[in-house]
Amino acid sequence: MTSPEWIFQVVSSFYDKAKIDVLIGYHFRNITDFDEHIPRIATFWELQLLGKATRELKEPFDVMKVHIPLSIKRGELGRWLVLFRKTL
């Protein structure tokens, strides 16, 4: 069963891999306080998968606004999906 703890574990494990990945790691290594974002990312997925969050949100999510400046390429998205599937 999906739980907030499981979601946090998956998110943390995925980004541990993503940060050192040869193709997409540079996106994450350029964010100096990225580890502080992990709980917020996990909360986003809690909302998507469980319909509620266990952590308080200080501000609403604007997923597009945050990701557009990254200029993520199609192949990079594909790599993200490969790493995510491996993590699951």
Side-chain angles (χ1 to χ4, degrees), residues 25-42:
Y26 72 97
H27 287 295
F28 309 106
R29 288 188 299 268
N30 290 332
I31 303 170
T32 56
D33 62 345
F34 186 77
D35 289 339
E36 295 174 22
H37 294 285
I38 297 297
R40 187 165 170 81
I41 296 167

Side-chain angles (χ1 to χ4, degrees), residues 3-21 28 34-46 49 55 80 83-84 86-88:
S3 69
E5 295 80 18
W6 180 82
I7 292 169
F8 187 83
Q9 180 182 4
V10 169
V11 168
S12 296
S13 180
F14 167 76
Y15 284 105
D16 283 346
K17 293 175 186 74
K19 286 187 292 188
I20 61 171
D21 187 76
F28 309 106
F34 186 77
D35 289 339
E36 295 174 22
H37 294 285
I38 297 297
R40 187 165 170 81
I41 296 167
T43 299
F44 169 82
W45 285 110
E46 283 181 32
L49 297 170
R55 293 169 198 80
W80 191 98
L83 289 176
F84 193 76
K86 284 183 179 182
T87 301
L88 291 176

Side-chain angles (χ1 to χ4, degrees), residues 14 18 21 24 45 72-88:
F14 167 76
D21 187 76
I24 64 172
W45 285 110
I72 299 170
K73 297 165 188 63
R74 184 181 302 228
E76 292 174 335
L77 180 59
R79 181 62 180 170
W80 191 98
L81 291 170
V82 166
L83 289 176
F84 193 76
R85 287 183 187 119
K86 284 183 179 182
T87 301
L88 291 176

